[in-house]
């Protein structure tokens, strides 16, 4: 059974329009006019238990709005959704016992108190019996390596330490699903790696379903098996990460080292990026050209010492997906 | 039902102690705030004392009454500020989308927001309130109990009023200032002896801006006890609390998590 099941979910925000000046203010009060903004436009997908899924898209694509609807914070304008068999906005409190959420841009810890105090408070909010909480705290503190700073007021923690505490706070009650909205935002490389490792372990050791948004290609590449791309409130891609990596962007960069210089090299279906005495670097598109043909052509003309083929980086793949106009390139990708 | 109530009390208490701990993080600031509030209240009362050296009574109100009024009003305010401090900043929480946090947790949103803050300076008001009360009446245990119940009921009235005022921003958009002024007005009127107001104003003060149920009626109960007044007081506090809850949850349906984006249309 799917733990998250979304069907035609939509959210339209209504913002009051106000014309400039006092007259505008008065008119806005007396006869308000509204602009409607479709933040999420009829998205559908399902997530199975234990999945680790990346939900990505450009700024303003509708990621946070989707998460807010799935956690019961916002009412949708249309469509249905079930999380663990419950409709989030109808059974918000009941659902809260079984899901967790972290919004990277907002803190759920008490700023002036040590994280340990926040954990205790959350323990009573979730009605975790004392003994269970103590055990759970021990386990979480060890898993997240918090012992060193758990008694320091949160305001004195580094961002990376704080984020570890945030995620720890969201799993005290052993949620089956957690929503992580940009958990690595603003972190340095090392801190990011740490957070990724934690998310992975959470997924593997506790079989927690993880719904993650991020602008970091590394998060997606290293963590997630599946990627959903949302653009202007619509899902434009829903596929496996490995498909994205290997088959989505079909350009390959080929680096060749010559044994002998080859000044007269001509390749009919490749774009030569750099050509020196020592070697040549060119780009081919595997959709229209086979690598073998190009290499055959190369071998016929040059004496080569070494060849390497580069796949495009995940970041480039994502940049390319975002750049394509809606409706293009998805037919062959949606599984 | 009983365990539910026990849980709620435990929940409120834990927040209360966490808030106190937070305040203790800044012990110096905490103490100076408390002392400042105490002195501030004392000075206001001193003004009345000066006035009452000139006149015996003011439309039936003596200085004794005014002292009791101050004890009751500052006590009620202390109850609001210490137990339900979130009621002051509710509309900001709505405008800034800070209700998200409470909506993601399995507790009643309104109660949770209300107890999430505690204004440390109000300890000064509480100490002031009890000190003045001790000075006025010959404080028997029975009277003290009545006093404590009345300031709690008054605190509930003030809190409910603040919730209503702040909930306006669900409909009006950014209206923190309006709410702040309403809340301020209730407190200010609670500190004036009822006797100085006309009948029409008094009507307002027992309805729209219920200062009458924060301090005038409790003072009357403490000086001239009748059961009818006690019942009236409790019913009003309860009724207003239920109304505030109803209005808040009605407004919450319109909550858009930082919904107050105003677009400037220039054309
Ligand atoms: N409370 C709100 N009121 C009005 N419009 C909103 C509100 N919240 C979001 N929006 C709008 O809805 C759209 C989607 O916003 P959302 O926050 O879901 O984007 P996002 O994908 O999370 O972006 P980011 O990567 O920047 O976090 C945006 O155009 C945003 O301006
Ligand atoms: Mg977002």
């Amino acid at each position: 059974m799917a733990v998250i099941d979304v069907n035609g979910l939509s959210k339209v925000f209504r913002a009051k329009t106000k014309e400039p000046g006092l007259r505008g203010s008065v008119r806005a009060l007396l006869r308000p006019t509204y602009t409607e903004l479709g933040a999420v436009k009829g998205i559908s997908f399902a997530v199975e238990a234990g999945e680790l899924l990346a939900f990505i898209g450009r700024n303003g694509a509708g990621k946070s709005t989707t998460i807010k609807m799935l956690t019961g914070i916002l009412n949708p304008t249309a469509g249905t959704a079930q999380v663990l068999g419950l409709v989030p906005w109808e059974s918000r409190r009941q659902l809260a016992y079984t899901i967790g959420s972290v919004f990277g841009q907002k803190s759920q810890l008490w700023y002036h108190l040590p994280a340990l105090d926040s954990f205790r408070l959350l323990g009573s909010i979730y009605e975790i019996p004392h003994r269970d909480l103590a055990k759970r705290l021990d386990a979480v503190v060890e898993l997240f390596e918090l012992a060193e700073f758990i008694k320091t007021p949160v305001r004195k923690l580094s961002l990376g330490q704080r984020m570890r505490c945030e995620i720890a706070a969201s799993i005290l009650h052993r949620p089956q699903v957690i929503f992580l909205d940009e958990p690595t935002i603003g972190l340095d490389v090392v801190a990011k790696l740490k957070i990724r490792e934690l998310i992975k372990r959470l997924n593997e050791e506790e079989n927690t379903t993880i719904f993650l948004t991020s602008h970091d290609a590394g998060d997606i590449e290293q963590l997630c098996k599946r990627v959903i791309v949302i653009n202007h409130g619509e899902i434009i891609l829903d596929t496996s990460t490995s498909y994205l990596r290997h088959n989505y962007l079909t350009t390959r960069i080929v680096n060749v080292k010559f044994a002998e210089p080859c000044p007269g090299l001509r390749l009919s279906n490749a774009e030569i990026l750099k050509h020196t005495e020592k070697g040549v670097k060119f780009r081919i598109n595997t959709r229209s050209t086979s690598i073998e043909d190009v290499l055959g052509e190369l071998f016929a003309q040059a004496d080569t010492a070494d060849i390497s083929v580069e796949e495009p980086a995940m970041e480039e793949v994502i940049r390319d997906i975002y750049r394509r106009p809606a409706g293009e390139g998805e037919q062959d990708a949606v599984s | 039902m009983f365990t539910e109530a026990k849980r709620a009390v435990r929940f409120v208490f834990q927040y209360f102690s966490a808030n106190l701990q937070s305040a203790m993080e800044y012990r110096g600031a905490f103490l100076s705030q408390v002392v400042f509030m105490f002195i501030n209240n004392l000075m206001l009362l001193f003004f009345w004392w000066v006035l009452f050296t000139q006149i015996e009574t003011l439309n039936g109100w003596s200085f004794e009454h005014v002292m009791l009024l101050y004890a009751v009003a500052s006590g009620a305010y202390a109850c609001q500020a210490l137990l339900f401090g979130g009621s002051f900043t509710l509309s900001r929480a709505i405008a800034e989308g800070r209700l998200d946090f409470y909506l993601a947790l399995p507790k009643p949103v309104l109660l949770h927001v209300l107890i999430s803050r505690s204004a440390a300076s109000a300890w000064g008001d509480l100490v002031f309130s009890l000190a003045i009360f001790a000075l006025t009446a010959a404080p028997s245990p029975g009277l003290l109990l009545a006093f404590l119940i009345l300031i709690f009921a008054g605190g509930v009235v003030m809190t409910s009023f603040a919730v209503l005022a702040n909930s306006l921003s669900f409909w009006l958009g950014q209206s923190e200032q309006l709410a702040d002024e309403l809340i301020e007005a209730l407190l200010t009127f609670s500190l004036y002896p009822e006797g100085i107001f006309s009948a029409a104003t008094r009507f307002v003060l027992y309805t729209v801006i219920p200062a009458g149920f924060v301090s005038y009626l409790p003072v009357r109960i403490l000086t001239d006890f009748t059961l009818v007044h006690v019942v009236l007081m409790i019913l009003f506090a309860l009724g207003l609390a239920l109304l505030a809850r109803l209005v808040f949850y009605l407004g919450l349906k319109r909550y858009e998590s930082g919904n107050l984006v105003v677009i400037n249309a220039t054309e």
Side-chain angles (χ1 to χ4, degrees):
Chain A
M1 197 198 83
V3 290
I4 303 177
D5 194 355
V6 176
N7 255 305
L9 198 64
S10 302
K11 179 72 192 178
V12 176
F13 285 112
R14 284 190 353 155
K16 249 187 206 163
T17 322
K18 182 183 150 318
E19 281 164 37
L22 181 64
R23 183 183 291 197
S25 300
V26 173
R27 191 176 303 165
L29 196 62
L30 296 180
R31 199 185 307 148
T33 51
Y34 294 93
T35 343
E36 299 208 326
L37 184 135
V40 175
K41 301 170 187 158
I43 59 173
S44 304
F45 59 86
V47 180
E48 298 298 323
E51 269 197 80
L52 208 172
L53 170 131
F55 190 66
I56 66 171
R58 304 177 60 171
N59 290 128
K63 304 180 293 296
S64 299
T65 305
T66 304
I67 291 186
K68 284 176 188 169
M69 289 190 282
L70 294 182
T71 48
I73 292 171
L74 279 178
N75 288 316
T77 313
T80 61
Q82 289 205 336
V83 176
L84 297 166
L86 297 170
V87 178
W89 48 93
E90 284 169 7
S91 317
R92 184 183 65 72
R93 284 177 60 187
Q94 198 188 338
L95 183 64
Y97 285 108
T98 53
I99 63 170
S101 54
V102 173
F103 292 89
Q105 324 228 28
K106 293 181 178 176
S107 178
Q108 56 185 331
L109 302 170
W110 288 45
Y111 194 62
H112 297 298
L113 292 180
L116 185 59
D117 291 359
S118 288
F119 294 165
R120 295 232 170 92
L121 209 56
L122 285 167
S124 84
I125 288 172
Y126 285 109
E127 292 160 22
I128 307 172
H130 276 301
R131 192 154 329 138
D132 290 1
L133 182 65
K135 248 191 254 156
R136 181 65 172 161
L137 275 178
D138 285 346
V140 169
V141 167
E142 177 163 346
L143 177 67
F144 284 56
E145 294 167 32
L146 307 177
E148 215 180 295
F149 48 82
I150 194 165
K151 289 183 180 148
T152 312
V154 168
R155 66 172 188 280
K156 291 182 185 160
L157 299 184
S158 78
L159 191 59
Q161 292 171 332
R162 204 202 80 200
M163 198 54 77
R164 265 145 76 188
C165 291
E166 297 277 355
I167 300 178
S170 75
I171 61 159
L172 291 177
H173 58 296
R174 301 173 196 274
Q176 298 171 42
V177 181
I178 59 177
F179 296 91
L180 301 170
D181 195 358
E182 304 192 38
T184 56
I185 190 167
L187 301 188
D188 69 39
V189 191
V190 180
K192 264 183 195 170
L193 283 180
K194 184 86 212 162
I195 295 286
R196 278 178 206 154
E197 184 200 315
L198 289 175
I199 295 173
K200 204 172 193 115
R201 290 185 64 177
L202 214 58
N203 176 249
E204 283 166 2
E205 289 171 21
E206 307 200 345
N207 198 35
T208 314
T209 308
I210 291 172
F211 192 95
L212 172 94
T213 84
S214 173
H215 289 292
D216 187 305
D219 288 349
I220 298 148
E221 188 163 31
Q222 292 172 24
L223 280 178
C224 304
K225 296 212 178 67
R226 176 175 166 204
V227 182
I228 294 180
V229 184
I230 181 171
N231 194 17
H232 295 296
E234 290 174 84
I235 290 179
I236 55 168
L237 196 63
D238 180 350
T239 185
S240 72
T241 316
S242 67
Y243 180 90
L244 269 196
R245 188 163 27 207
H246 300 302
N247 308 329
Y248 191 77
L249 253 199
T250 49
T251 58
R252 296 286 180 274
I253 306 279
V254 183
N255 272 303
V256 181
K257 224 181 249 165
F258 294 144
E260 298 277 322
C262 178
L265 183 69
R266 286 273 170 284
L267 297 173
S268 42
N269 281 314
E271 180 191 349
I272 294 185
L273 301 171
K274 198 168 153 199
H275 184 186
T276 64
E277 297 225 316
K278 286 191 185 126
V280 64
K281 182 176 178 179
F282 56 86
R283 180 179 4 215
I284 55 178
N285 189 336
T286 54
R287 194 170 295 186
S288 50
T289 319
S290 89
I291 292 197
E292 287 86 40
D293 290 355
V294 180
L295 291 184
E297 217 177 326
L298 174 75
F299 294 148
Q301 299 172 54
D303 198 356
T304 58
D306 189 24
I307 295 177
S308 65
V309 179
E310 279 174 38
E311 281 184 352
M314 189 53 126
E315 191 159 330
E316 236 172 283
V317 176
I318 291 170
R319 204 181 312 137
D320 184 72
I321 296 169
Y322 291 171
R323 223 185 281 130
R324 290 184 194 197
E328 192 182 307
E330 83 223 58
Q331 277 79 10
D332 54 345
V334 175
S335 48
Chain B
M1 180 70 190
F2 181 67
T3 48
E4 185 81 359
K6 213 168 79 177
R7 264 194 208 140
V9 170
R10 198 167 84 103
F11 173 54
V12 172
F13 178 76
Q14 282 211 312
Y15 254 95
F16 187 75
S17 70
N19 276 321
L20 197 56
Q21 249 169 289
S22 273
M24 285 302 170
E25 274 286 310
Y26 303 91
R27 231 159 282 142
F30 172 70
L31 280 178
S32 60
Q33 271 179 327
V34 168
V35 172
F36 175 79
M37 262 310 147
F38 189 91
I39 294 175
N40 182 56
N41 293 345
L42 212 57
M43 289 201 348
L44 288 172
L45 196 56
F46 178 73
F47 161 79
W48 285 103
W49 179 76
V50 171
L51 189 80
F52 276 101
T53 55
Q54 310 295 315
I55 50 170
E56 270 297 302
T57 60
L58 192 69
N59 293 341
W61 281 66
S62 68
F63 183 59
E64 289 273 287
H65 286 128
V66 174
M67 276 173 80
L68 208 47
L69 181 80
Y70 265 67
V72 166
S74 57
Y77 172 81
C79 281
Q80 178 190 11
L82 291 175
L83 292 172
F84 308 118
S87 57
F88 294 108
T89 49
L90 184 56
S91 66
R92 270 172 206 90
I94 296 166
E96 289 164 9
R98 271 191 287 118
L99 293 189
D100 288 13
F101 172 70
Y102 304 98
L103 284 163
L105 294 173
K107 288 285 175 190
V109 181
L110 180 58
L111 180 66
H112 202 166
V113 180
L114 291 181
I115 65 173
S116 66
R117 277 166 184 252
S118 174
S121 63
W123 286 104
D125 296 283
L126 187 65
V127 173
F128 173 84
S129 163
L130 292 171
I132 298 299
F133 175 70
L135 282 179
T136 49
S140 67
L143 208 56
L144 180 64
L145 184 67
F147 179 73
L148 292 178
I149 291 173
L150 286 170
I151 63 174
F152 182 74
V156 170
V157 171
M158 289 179 114
T159 304
S160 308
F161 182 77
V163 169
L164 286 167
N166 279 318
S167 294
L168 285 176
S169 61
F170 282 124
W171 287 273
L172 298 183
Q174 254 148 351
S175 57
E176 290 116 72
Q177 248 178 356
L178 176 64
D180 286 350
E181 269 156 35
L182 285 169
I183 292 167
E184 185 70 36
L186 177 63
L187 181 62
T188 309
F189 280 113
S190 307
L191 288 170
Y192 280 104
E194 185 182 7
I196 66 171
F197 298 115
S198 68
T201 313
R202 267 190 233 182
F203 178 75
V204 173
L205 294 180
Y206 276 94
T207 50
V208 188
I209 299 186
F213 291 97
V214 174
S215 56
Y216 314 156
L217 190 60
V219 168
R220 210 174 300 168
I221 292 171
L222 288 170
T223 53
D224 183 10
F225 187 91
T226 57
L227 196 61
V228 181
H229 283 163
V230 177
V231 171
L232 186 66
M233 178 72 201
I234 288 173
L235 282 183
F236 187 85
L238 214 62
L240 198 65
L242 288 176
L243 179 69
R245 199 179 87 140
L246 182 79
V247 170
F248 175 83
Y249 280 104
L250 217 60
L252 191 61
K253 293 210 176 106
R254 304 167 57 96
Y255 177 65
E256 299 219 308
S257 166
N259 48 347
L260 303 160
V261 183
V262 175
I263 297 172
N264 278 306
T266 36
E267 54 89 47

Coordinates of all heavy atoms in Angstrom, one line a residue, chain B residues 145-196:
Chain B
L145 N -8.5 33.1 48.4 CA -8.9 32.1 47.4 C -9.9 32.8 46.4 O -9.7 32.6 45.2 CB -9.7 30.9 48.1 CG -10.1 29.8 47.2 CD1 -8.8 29.1 46.6 CD2 -11.0 28.8 47.9
A146 N -10.8 33.5 46.9 CA -11.8 34.3 46.0 C -11.0 35.2 45.1 O -11.2 35.2 43.9 CB -12.8 35.1 46.9
F147 N -10.0 35.9 45.7 CA -9.2 36.8 44.9 C -8.5 36.1 43.8 O -8.5 36.5 42.6 CB -8.2 37.5 45.8 CG -7.2 38.4 45.1 CD1 -7.7 39.7 44.7 CD2 -5.9 38.1 44.9 CE1 -6.9 40.6 44.1 CE2 -5.1 39.0 44.2 CZ -5.5 40.2 43.8
L148 N -7.8 34.9 44.1 CA -7.1 34.2 43.1 C -8.0 33.7 42.0 O -7.7 33.7 40.8 CB -6.4 33.0 43.7 CG -5.2 33.4 44.7 CD1 -4.6 32.1 45.3 CD2 -4.2 34.2 43.9
I149 N -9.2 33.2 42.4 CA -10.2 32.7 41.4 C -10.6 33.9 40.5 O -10.6 33.8 39.2 CB -11.4 32.1 42.0 CG1 -10.9 30.8 42.7 CG2 -12.5 31.8 41.0 CD1 -12.0 30.1 43.5
L150 N -10.8 35.0 41.1 CA -11.3 36.2 40.3 C -10.2 36.7 39.4 O -10.5 37.1 38.2 CB -11.7 37.3 41.3 CG -13.1 37.1 41.9 CD1 -13.3 38.1 43.0 CD2 -14.2 37.1 40.9
I151 N -8.9 36.8 39.8 CA -7.9 37.2 38.9 C -7.7 36.2 37.7 O -7.4 36.6 36.6 CB -6.6 37.6 39.5 CG1 -5.9 36.5 40.2 CG2 -6.8 38.8 40.5 CD1 -4.5 36.8 40.7
F152 N -7.9 34.9 38.0 CA -7.8 34.0 37.0 C -8.9 34.2 35.9 O -8.7 34.2 34.7 CB -7.8 32.5 37.5 CG -7.6 31.5 36.4 CD1 -6.4 31.3 35.8 CD2 -8.7 30.8 35.9 CE1 -6.2 30.4 34.8 CE2 -8.6 29.9 34.9 CZ -7.3 29.7 34.3
A153 N -10.1 34.3 36.5 CA -11.3 34.6 35.6 C -11.0 35.8 34.8 O -11.3 35.9 33.5 CB -12.5 34.7 36.4
G154 N -10.5 36.9 35.4 CA -10.2 38.1 34.7 C -9.2 37.9 33.6 O -9.2 38.5 32.5
G155 N -8.2 37.1 34.0 CA -7.1 36.8 33.0 C -7.7 36.0 31.8 O -7.3 36.3 30.6
V156 N -8.7 35.2 32.0 CA -9.3 34.4 30.9 C -10.1 35.4 30.1 O -10.1 35.4 28.8 CB -10.3 33.3 31.5 CG1 -11.2 32.8 30.4 CG2 -9.5 32.2 32.1
V157 N -10.8 36.4 30.7 CA -11.5 37.4 29.9 C -10.5 38.2 29.0 O -10.7 38.4 27.8 CB -12.3 38.4 30.8 CG1 -12.8 39.6 30.1 CG2 -13.4 37.7 31.5
M158 N -9.4 38.6 29.6 CA -8.4 39.4 28.9 C -7.8 38.6 27.7 O -7.6 39.1 26.6 CB -7.3 39.9 29.8 CG -7.7 41.0 30.7 SD -6.3 41.5 31.8 CE -6.1 43.1 31.2
T159 N -7.5 37.3 28.0 CA -6.9 36.4 27.0 C -7.9 36.2 25.8 O -7.6 36.4 24.7 CB -6.6 35.1 27.6 OG1 -5.7 35.3 28.7 CG2 -5.9 34.2 26.6
S160 N -9.2 36.0 26.2 CA -10.2 35.7 25.2 C -10.4 37.0 24.3 O -10.5 36.9 23.1 CB -11.5 35.4 25.8 OG -11.4 34.3 26.7
F161 N -10.4 38.1 25.0 CA -10.5 39.4 24.2 C -9.3 39.6 23.3 O -9.5 39.9 22.1 CB -10.6 40.6 25.2 CG -10.8 41.9 24.6 CD1 -12.0 42.3 24.1 CD2 -9.7 42.8 24.4 CE1 -12.2 43.5 23.5 CE2 -9.8 44.0 23.8 CZ -11.1 44.4 23.3
A162 N -8.1 39.3 23.7 CA -7.0 39.4 22.9 C -7.0 38.4 21.7 O -6.7 38.8 20.6 CB -5.7 39.1 23.7
V163 N -7.5 37.2 21.9 CA -7.7 36.2 20.9 C -8.6 36.8 19.8 O -8.4 36.7 18.6 CB -8.1 34.9 21.4 CG1 -8.5 33.9 20.3 CG2 -7.1 34.2 22.2
L164 N -9.8 37.3 20.3 CA -10.7 37.9 19.3 C -10.1 39.0 18.5 O -10.2 39.1 17.3 CB -12.0 38.4 20.1 CG -12.9 37.3 20.6 CD1 -13.9 37.8 21.6 CD2 -13.6 36.6 19.5
A165 N -9.5 39.9 19.2 CA -8.9 41.1 18.5 C -7.8 40.6 17.5 O -7.8 41.1 16.4 CB -8.2 42.0 19.6
N166 N -7.0 39.7 17.9 CA -6.0 39.2 17.0 C -6.5 38.4 15.9 O -5.9 38.3 14.8 CB -4.9 38.4 17.8 CG -3.9 39.3 18.5 OD1 -3.5 40.3 18.0 ND2 -3.6 39.0 19.7
S167 N -7.6 37.7 16.1 CA -8.2 36.9 15.0 C -8.7 37.7 13.9 O -8.9 37.2 12.8 CB -9.3 36.0 15.6 OG -8.8 35.0 16.5
L168 N -8.9 39.0 14.1 CA -9.3 39.9 13.0 C -8.4 39.7 11.8 O -8.8 39.9 10.7 CB -9.3 41.3 13.5 CG -10.5 41.7 14.4 CD1 -10.3 43.2 14.9 CD2 -11.8 41.6 13.7
S169 N -7.1 39.5 12.1 CA -6.2 39.5 11.0 C -6.4 38.3 10.0 O -5.9 38.3 8.9 CB -4.8 39.5 11.4 OG -4.5 38.4 12.2
F170 N -7.2 37.3 10.4 CA -7.6 36.2 9.5 C -8.4 36.8 8.3 O -8.4 36.4 7.2 CB -8.4 35.2 10.1 CG -7.6 34.2 11.0 CD1 -7.9 34.0 12.3 CD2 -6.6 33.4 10.4 CE1 -7.2 33.1 13.0 CE2 -5.8 32.5 11.1 CZ -6.2 32.3 12.5
W171 N -9.2 37.9 8.7 CA -10.1 38.5 7.7 C -9.6 39.8 7.1 O -9.7 40.0 6.0 CB -11.5 38.7 8.4 CG -12.3 37.4 8.6 CD1 -13.1 36.8 7.7 CD2 -12.3 36.6 9.7 NE1 -13.6 35.7 8.2 CE2 -13.1 35.5 9.5 CE3 -11.7 36.7 11.0 CZ2 -13.4 34.5 10.4 CZ3 -11.9 35.7 11.9 CH2 -12.7 34.6 11.6
L172 N -9.0 40.6 8.0 CA -8.5 41.9 7.6 C -7.1 41.9 7.0 O -6.7 42.9 6.4 CB -8.6 42.9 8.7 CG -10.0 43.1 9.4 CD1 -9.9 44.2 10.4 CD2 -11.0 43.5 8.3
G173 N -6.4 40.9 7.1 CA -5.0 40.9 6.7 C -4.2 41.6 7.9 O -4.7 41.6 9.0
Q174 N -3.1 42.2 7.5 CA -2.3 42.8 8.5 C -3.0 43.8 9.4 O -3.3 44.9 9.0 CB -1.1 43.5 7.9 CG 0.2 42.7 8.1 CD 1.1 42.9 7.0 OE1 0.8 43.5 6.0 NE2 2.3 42.3 7.1
S175 N -3.3 43.4 10.6 CA -4.0 44.4 11.5 C -3.5 44.3 12.9 O -4.3 44.4 13.9 CB -5.5 44.1 11.4 OG -5.8 42.7 11.8
E176 N -2.2 44.0 13.1 CA -1.6 43.9 14.4 C -1.8 45.1 15.2 O -2.1 45.1 16.4 CB -0.1 43.7 14.3 CG 0.3 42.3 13.8 CD 1.0 42.5 12.5 OE1 2.1 42.9 12.4 OE2 0.4 42.2 11.4
Q177 N -1.7 46.3 14.5 CA -1.8 47.6 15.3 C -3.2 47.7 15.9 O -3.3 48.1 17.1 CB -1.5 48.7 14.3 CG -0.2 49.4 14.7 CD 0.1 50.5 13.8 OE1 -0.6 50.8 12.8 NE2 1.2 51.1 14.1
L178 N -4.2 47.5 15.1 CA -5.6 47.6 15.6 C -5.7 46.7 16.8 O -6.2 47.1 17.9 CB -6.5 47.2 14.5 CG -8.0 47.1 14.9 CD1 -8.5 48.5 15.3 CD2 -8.8 46.5 13.8
A179 N -5.3 45.4 16.7 CA -5.4 44.5 17.8 C -4.6 45.0 19.0 O -5.2 44.9 20.1 CB -4.9 43.1 17.4
D180 N -3.4 45.4 18.8 CA -2.6 45.9 19.9 C -3.4 47.0 20.7 O -3.4 47.1 21.9 CB -1.3 46.5 19.5 CG -0.3 45.3 19.1 OD1 -0.7 44.2 19.4 OD2 0.7 45.6 18.5
E181 N -4.0 47.9 19.9 CA -4.6 49.1 20.5 C -5.9 48.6 21.3 O -6.2 49.1 22.4 CB -5.0 50.1 19.4 CG -3.9 51.2 19.3 CD -3.9 51.9 18.0 OE1 -5.0 52.1 17.4 OE2 -2.8 52.2 17.5
L182 N -6.6 47.7 20.8 CA -7.8 47.1 21.5 C -7.3 46.5 22.8 O -7.9 46.7 23.8 CB -8.5 46.1 20.6 CG -9.3 46.7 19.5 CD1 -9.8 45.6 18.5 CD2 -10.5 47.4 20.0
I183 N -6.3 45.7 22.7 CA -5.8 45.0 23.9 C -5.3 46.1 25.0 O -5.6 46.0 26.2 CB -4.6 44.1 23.6 CG1 -5.2 42.9 22.7 CG2 -3.9 43.6 24.8 CD1 -4.1 42.1 22.1
E184 N -4.6 47.1 24.5 CA -4.2 48.2 25.4 C -5.4 48.9 26.0 O -5.3 49.2 27.2 CB -3.3 49.1 24.5 CG -2.7 50.3 25.2 CD -1.5 49.8 26.1 OE1 -0.8 48.8 25.7 OE2 -1.3 50.3 27.2
A185 N -6.4 49.1 25.2 CA -7.6 49.8 25.7 C -8.2 49.1 26.8 O -8.6 49.6 27.8 CB -8.6 50.0 24.5
L186 N -8.3 47.7 26.7 CA -9.0 46.9 27.7 C -8.2 47.1 29.0 O -8.8 47.3 30.1 CB -9.0 45.5 27.3 CG -9.6 44.5 28.4 CD1 -11.0 44.9 28.7 CD2 -9.5 43.1 27.9
L187 N -6.9 47.0 28.9 CA -6.1 47.1 30.1 C -6.2 48.5 30.8 O -6.4 48.6 32.0 CB -4.6 46.8 29.8 CG -3.6 46.9 31.0 CD1 -4.0 45.8 32.0 CD2 -2.2 46.7 30.6
T188 N -6.2 49.5 29.9 CA -6.2 50.9 30.4 C -7.6 51.1 31.2 O -7.6 51.6 32.3 CB -6.1 51.9 29.3 OG1 -5.0 51.6 28.5 CG2 -6.0 53.3 29.8
F189 N -8.7 50.7 30.5 CA -10.0 50.9 31.2 C -10.1 50.1 32.4 O -10.8 50.5 33.4 CB -11.1 50.6 30.2 CG -11.4 51.7 29.2 CD1 -11.1 51.5 27.8 CD2 -11.9 52.9 29.6 CE1 -11.4 52.5 26.9 CE2 -12.1 53.9 28.7 CZ -11.9 53.7 27.4
S190 N -9.4 49.0 32.5 CA -9.5 48.1 33.7 C -8.9 48.8 34.9 O -9.2 48.4 36.0 CB -8.8 46.8 33.5 OG -9.3 46.2 32.4
L191 N -8.1 49.8 34.7 CA -7.4 50.5 35.7 C -8.0 51.8 36.2 O -7.5 52.5 37.0 CB -5.9 50.7 35.3 CG -5.0 49.5 35.3 CD1 -3.7 49.8 34.6 CD2 -4.8 48.9 36.7
Y192 N -9.2 52.1 35.6 CA -9.9 53.3 36.0 C -11.1 52.9 36.9 O -11.8 51.9 36.5 CB -10.4 54.1 34.8 CG -9.3 55.0 34.2 CD1 -8.7 54.6 33.0 CD2 -8.9 56.2 34.9 CE1 -7.7 55.4 32.5 CE2 -7.9 57.0 34.3 CZ -7.3 56.6 33.1 OH -6.3 57.3 32.6
P193 N -11.4 53.7 37.9 CA -12.6 53.3 38.7 C -13.8 53.5 37.9 O -13.9 54.6 37.2 CB -12.5 54.3 39.9 CG -11.5 55.4 39.5 CD -10.6 54.8 38.5
E194 N -14.7 52.6 37.9 CA -15.9 52.6 37.1 C -16.7 53.8 37.3 O -17.3 54.4 36.4 CB -16.7 51.4 37.6 CG -18.0 51.1 36.8 CD -18.7 49.9 37.3 OE1 -18.4 49.4 38.4 OE2 -19.7 49.5 36.7
G195 N -16.6 54.4 38.6 CA -17.5 55.5 38.9 C -17.3 56.7 38.0 O -18.2 57.5 38.0
I196 N -16.2 56.9 37.4 CA -16.0 58.1 36.6 C -16.6 58.1 35.3 O -16.6 59.1 34.5 CB -14.5 58.4 36.5 CG1 -13.8 57.3 35.6 CG2 -13.8 58.5 37.8 CD1 -12.4 57.7 35.2

